[in-house]
Amino acid sequence: MTSAESNGNYPGKGAGAPVGVAILGKGTVGTEVLRLLGEFSNNLEQRIGGPIEVRGVAVSNVEKHKDAPEVQGLLLTDDAHSLVERDDVDVVVEVIGGIDYPRELVLKALRAGKSVVTANKALVAAHGSELADAANEAGVDLYYEAAVAAAIPVVGMLRRSLAGDQVQRIAGIVNGTTNFILDAMATTGASYEDALAEATRLGYAEADPTADVEGHDAASKAAILASMGFHTRVTFDDVYCEGISSITAEDIAAAKKANQTIKLLAICERLFNEDGSTRAVNARVHPTLVPNDHPLASVDQSYNAIFVEAEAAGRLMFYGNGAGGAPTASAVLGDLVGAARNKIHGGRAPAENPYANYDVVGFDEVETRYHVNMTVNDRVGVLADLAHQFADSDVSLAAVRQEESGDEAHLIVVTHKAREKDLREIVDRLAKHEDVRSVNSVLRLHD
């Protein structure tokens, strides 16, 4: 039991009392948060039971922001540490981004007894356990709905709505940039490079798109979802991560022939023992072939969708804008209302509870299915020989398709489920086989 919990309760300030808020950061999201706070101030006061009063806004460059209409009449400072330490600040909203500097500020706020609302997925994925421990010790709230899929209320769903259920699996499209690129490749026939250029032109991709296209952004979100869903602390480093930069127009065309579409999925799932008990959990991000009749296949443009399977609730899907200033600010304000209400009326929001503490296993131990596209010599016996390679590793084939072209053939092999480690070893051996001219692509299938 923490020192805060030993007090027995968390008394509030009382109805009508103001809630002092510090805003750290004034980028796209911070600007929208300030705008909505001004626009909805009366409604928010009624929902909370007291007014929200912005004590200050911390920015790196005061001169750059001093004339912005949303900060007129507010303290604008480049000293975020002093702002966080103010006695009249009850809740700190962190929308800076990055990890090390925000971590310092958030820990300082929590240890000083201030609740924190953050939209920082990288911070939560890397240091979520440390932040949760600090919040519990101080008896304050740590909210981060906006850290996963912006306005889509998946964190609150896992924290509250499914708190009495057992989540079995979470699979979703949690990065709008990569979904836009893959959708553009599928619908227009564009190359990866052209689709990325269009995403950049429209503002979906950053000038440096690495975090998106290499899957790092989605991996941070997968770590958060797995931690919440399985009551086990999962960090960014626990998540297998593979991006979309190697996906080609040929891969897209092959998916269409198989009545499937390629999506970058974040997948978090339980692994079971023979008696049905949970053996471990796994989280991963990689391009995945999704059947066209699955709900995730129809998620287009920059939208996000998260598919949750729970033992009692069954299958649930959450869909919407997963990024952008206004949707993210909406999620931040939803968390702010909850934190401010608790400051006034007392009590705390449901906290992180990693009681299950399951082993987090690497991707090698997970069972997957492969879709392998190879170019091989077109001679009698090649197909039988390559099929024998799979059989030697006890991997059975679900389907084989061959297309001849001169003295070579394109061979598509679809496997049944097998350990990822075994499948990868087979593909490595095939790539060295004398009759395999090239392994063109290897994609995993979504069941």
Side-chain angles (χ1 to χ4, degrees):
M1 180 177 291
T2 67
S3 58
E5 288 171 336
S6 65
N7 294 331
N9 57 59
Y10 305 96
K13 300 175 70 172
V19 177
V21 175
I23 309 291
L24 309 183
K26 193 188 164 295
T28 302
V29 177
T31 297
E32 280 296 302
V33 168
L34 286 164
R35 182 184 70 80
L36 294 175
L37 280 173
E39 185 175 335
F40 299 154
S41 59
N42 292 334
N43 287 331
L44 293 175
E45 180 175 350
Q46 296 301 314
R47 297 169 193 174
I48 293 166
I52 286 180
E53 296 181 356
V54 177
R55 305 301 187 197
V57 181
V59 295
S60 59
N61 186 336
V62 172
E63 286 298 314
K64 177 181 177 181
H65 298 282
K66 67 179 183 179
D67 295 325
E70 61 274 0
V71 298
Q72 298 310 302
L74 300 177
L75 170 67
L76 193 63
T77 178
D78 58 6
D79 188 353
H81 283 276
S82 294
L83 179 60
V84 165
E85 291 170 342
R86 284 179 51 155
D87 291 337
D88 59 351
V89 168
D90 301 298
V91 182
V92 171
V93 174
E94 186 274 306
V95 285
I96 301 172
I99 297 179
D100 294 337
Y101 180 53
R103 172 179 168 271
E104 292 178 18
L105 294 171
V106 168
L107 283 173
K108 176 173 283 190
L110 293 170
R111 290 166 179 166
K114 291 115 176 22
S115 293
V116 169
V117 174
T118 179
N120 193 331
K121 55 192 157 288
L123 173 63
V124 177
H127 298 291
S129 59
E130 182 183 25
L131 304 182
D133 288 345
N136 287 335
E137 183 66 26
V140 294
D141 290 329
L142 173 64
Y143 282 94
Y144 44 87
E145 181 68 68
V148 180
I152 302 174
V154 64
V155 171
M157 174 271 299
L158 293 171
R159 189 189 298 230
R160 293 183 294 272
S161 302
L162 293 181
D165 208 335
Q166 176 167 287
V167 174
Q168 310 286 50
R169 197 166 197 251
I170 303 167
I173 299 163
V174 295
N175 182 272
T177 301
T178 52
N179 200 58
F180 177 89
I181 292 171
L182 292 172
D183 183 56
M185 292 175 71
T187 55
T188 70
S191 67
Y192 166 79
E193 291 77 14
D194 288 343
L196 173 58
E198 179 66 3
T200 304
R201 185 185 72 80
L202 294 174
Y204 293 125
E206 302 288 343
D208 179 1
T210 302
D212 291 324
V213 299
E214 297 303 334
H216 304 157
D217 174 85
S220 291
K221 296 169 183 176
I224 296 170
L225 291 171
S227 298
M228 297 293 295
F230 305 138
H231 303 284
T232 295
R233 285 176 172 169
V234 180
T235 70
F236 174 85
D237 290 335
D238 294 320
V239 182
Y240 173 84
C241 184
E242 182 181 321
I244 67 165
S245 56
S246 63
I247 299 297
T248 65
E250 289 74 22
D251 294 328
I252 300 291
K256 284 185 177 181
K257 286 185 178 180
N259 292 317
Q260 305 199 59
T261 187
I262 300 175
K263 298 292 185 183
L264 183 72
L265 295 189
I267 301 172
C268 315
E269 63 182 357
R270 293 175 184 265
L271 308 181
F272 296 98
N273 295 309
E274 290 184 3
D275 64 0
S277 61
T278 301
R279 172 171 63 87
V281 298
N282 170 263
R284 59 192 189 269
V285 170
H286 52 69
T288 309
L289 283 167
V290 179
N292 285 339
D293 59 357
H294 191 285
L296 290 175
S298 62
V299 178
D300 60 0
Q301 299 185 48
S302 62
Y303 282 90
N304 285 191
I306 300 168
F307 204 77
V308 179
E309 298 177 35
E311 184 171 320
R315 296 179 176 182
L316 308 169
M317 182 168 164
F318 301 81
Y319 170 86
N321 279 316
T328 306
S330 172
V332 169
L333 257 66
D335 281 350
L336 179 55
V337 167
R341 187 187 294 125
N342 290 340
K343 287 292 182 180
I344 286 183
H345 301 291
R348 290 186 64 202
E352 180 205 47
N353 187 2
Y355 74 91
N357 195 30
Y358 295 120
D359 289 337
V360 183
V361 299
F363 194 18
D364 279 354
E365 301 306 311
V366 175
E367 288 192 339
T368 57
R369 298 175 62 205
Y370 271 16
H371 178 283
V372 186
N373 183 334
M374 297 176 284
T375 301
V376 301
N377 292 326
D378 188 12
R379 70 168 181 80
V380 175
V382 168
L383 180 57
D385 188 17
L386 297 181
H388 189 66
Q389 299 287 326
F390 286 90
D392 283 347
S393 298
D394 293 326
V395 175
S396 61
L397 302 184
V400 178
R401 187 173 77 249
Q402 181 173 331
E403 298 174 357
E404 296 182 2
S405 177
D407 63 345
E408 63 181 31
H410 291 290
L411 193 64
I412 305 293
V413 174
V414 179
T415 74
H416 284 296
K417 273 193 171 184
R419 282 197 317 168
E420 171 73 17
K421 178 182 179 181
D422 296 333
L423 289 169
R424 191 182 299 126
E425 287 177 352
I426 291 171
V427 171
D428 288 343
R429 287 204 309 272
L430 291 174
K432 300 171 184 176
H433 194 282
E434 62 182 2
D435 281 314
V436 177
R437 298 191 177 185
S438 63
V439 176
N440 303 318
S441 68
V442 179
L443 292 168
R444 298 169 186 91
L445 286 84
H446 184 61
D447 290 314

